[in-house]
Amino acid sequence: MAPVQNSQGVTDRIVPMRVIVCGVPRTGTLSVQSALRQLGLHDCYHMQSVLENPSDAREWARAFEAKYAGNGSFTRADWDHLLGDCQAVCDAPAAFFGPELAEAYPEAKVVILNREPEAWYKSFLDSIYPLTRPQNLGSKLHRLYCLILDQNMRDVFVYSKAVRKYVTTYDHGKEKDKALAWYKSQYQEFHDRIPDDRRIEYTVEEGWKPLCDLLSLPVPMVTDETSGEVVEAPFPRLNDLASFKARGSGLLTKSTERANSNLLNAIGRLAVTGVAGYAGYLLWKTRLGGRV
């Protein structure tokens, strides 16, 4: 399909969309992103992309409104504008639009990224759930502080609010049956709306070969440091629980730093305003004797 032009008569798509990975968070998406990068697809949109570019969050919120509420539309031109420099997508939020992206980019390959439902539930419960739903008052107040004073956090909150409203409408920690039903429904939608001949079923445990076969690319090889022989490169194994928690903590630390800086700047501006006002008062009192 030829690139779609925007309202200015030019296309926002810089590179072709080559791979659409339909796999919800905690199914191995970061490992697959790294694998695709090693295979030469150097920009694969992932939830980390939203966190690195928080202004994208409002576009994703608009996409949720279009899909789930029927408010407006989100066309190929919109996807090109949002994802025009990406050769692949995986993880949320793109995974929630897997069928739509497959329809928008019929030339792209589709990977259904699977994980055993119970293992997915436990992984999500131990990682994303506590990050998005803090349980104690101190954590809640900390998030509120960042939300008030950090624009990046406010942008991401717009996205998170849309996800809770339209996608994960249950409490993952308290409604396991609903969580598993949602998980299965996501994959049912992938299977119902994406033709068999366009997709492969895949798990990260299968390693390189299925991805390389799909893309007609050779399996990456490296030289073994011990034997000196050329062997198959290790498949990426990223985003274990400890790594995920460390990244989440780092993101909150950066948000807190921005919030503190913004608070100090605001206090500084108030102080300058106060000093200027007091100086004006003294000037008025000195020159006019306080007379009106």
Side-chain angles (χ1 to χ4, degrees):
M1 179 181 290
V4 175
Q5 295 182 341
N6 61 24
S7 59
Q8 283 74 46
V10 297
T11 179
D12 288 315
R13 178 144 296 282
I14 299 170
V15 292
M17 179 65 75
R18 295 176 59 190
V19 180
I20 296 164
V21 180
C22 297
V24 300
R26 305 309 296 169
T27 57
T29 56
L30 195 62
S31 296
V32 171
Q33 182 198 41
S34 179
L36 291 174
R37 183 178 291 116
Q38 290 187 50
L39 292 174
L41 285 75
H42 295 291
D43 205 338
C44 176
Y45 201 97
H46 185 279
M47 184 61 207
Q48 288 189 338
S49 306
V50 181
L51 300 176
E52 293 167 1
N53 303 281
S55 59
D56 286 359
R58 296 182 185 275
E59 283 298 295
W60 285 108
R62 190 167 70 82
F64 284 121
E65 287 279 342
K67 175 173 180 174
Y68 293 96
N71 294 334
S73 62
F74 213 84
T75 66
R76 165 72 183 258
D78 293 309
W79 290 122
D80 282 349
H81 178 70
L82 182 58
L83 305 170
D85 58 352
C86 299
Q87 291 182 293
V89 295
C90 69
D91 197 56
F96 302 138
F97 299 92
E100 287 77 14
L101 288 167
E103 292 168 6
Y105 301 106
E107 65 280 9
K109 308 289 188 180
V110 179
V111 176
I112 308 297
L113 180 58
N114 297 284
R115 189 176 187 181
E116 194 278 322
E118 287 285 345
W120 165 80
Y121 176 81
K122 180 67 164 57
S123 179
F124 196 105
L125 182 67
D126 292 339
S127 57
I128 296 176
Y129 181 70
L131 186 66
T132 57
R133 292 177 182 260
Q135 300 300 305
N136 61 70
L137 180 60
S139 295
K140 291 178 180 178
L141 290 175
H142 188 181
R143 302 294 175 84
L144 181 61
Y145 172 77
C146 292
L147 185 62
I148 293 172
L149 291 168
D150 177 23
Q151 180 62 52
N152 287 8
M153 180 67 82
R154 289 197 295 275
D155 286 336
V156 173
F157 178 75
V158 170
Y159 165 80
S160 299
K161 183 178 178 181
V163 171
R164 288 195 298 270
K165 180 178 180 179
Y166 294 118
V167 186
T168 54
T169 57
Y170 55 88
D171 186 315
H172 192 92
K174 299 176 182 178
E175 299 176 297
K176 180 178 179 180
D177 289 345
K178 289 184 179 180
L180 290 172
W182 172 83
Y183 179 81
K184 293 173 183 177
S185 72
Q186 291 294 298
Y187 284 85
Q188 189 63 54
E189 183 185 18
F190 297 155
H191 294 139
D192 288 346
R193 295 183 57 188
I194 302 172
D196 292 350
D197 60 358
R198 286 202 56 200
R199 55 181 167 83
I200 64 166
E201 302 291 330
Y202 177 74
T203 66
V204 291
E205 287 75 20
E206 296 176 80
W208 291 110
K209 191 174 187 308
L211 293 178
C212 292
D213 288 348
L214 179 69
L215 298 171
S216 300
L217 294 171
V219 171
M221 307 296 285
V222 296
T223 301
D224 184 89
E225 294 182 358
T226 303
S227 67
E229 296 180 356
V230 176
V231 298
E232 182 176 311
F235 190 83
R237 304 290 183 185
L238 306 176
N239 214 21
D240 58 28
L241 184 58
S243 299
F244 181 91
K245 288 183 175 180
R247 270 193 300 277
S249 177
L251 289 170
L252 189 57
T253 297
K254 290 180 180 179
S255 178
T256 303
E257 291 172 352
R258 289 191 296 268
N260 291 342
S261 176
N262 290 337
L263 178 61
L264 290 174
N265 288 337
I267 292 173
R269 288 193 294 271
L270 287 173
V272 169
T273 301
V275 169
Y278 185 64
Y281 166 74
L282 290 179
L283 180 63
W284 169 77
K285 187 174 182 180
T286 300
R287 293 190 174 184
L288 301 179
R291 298 186 300 275
V292 178

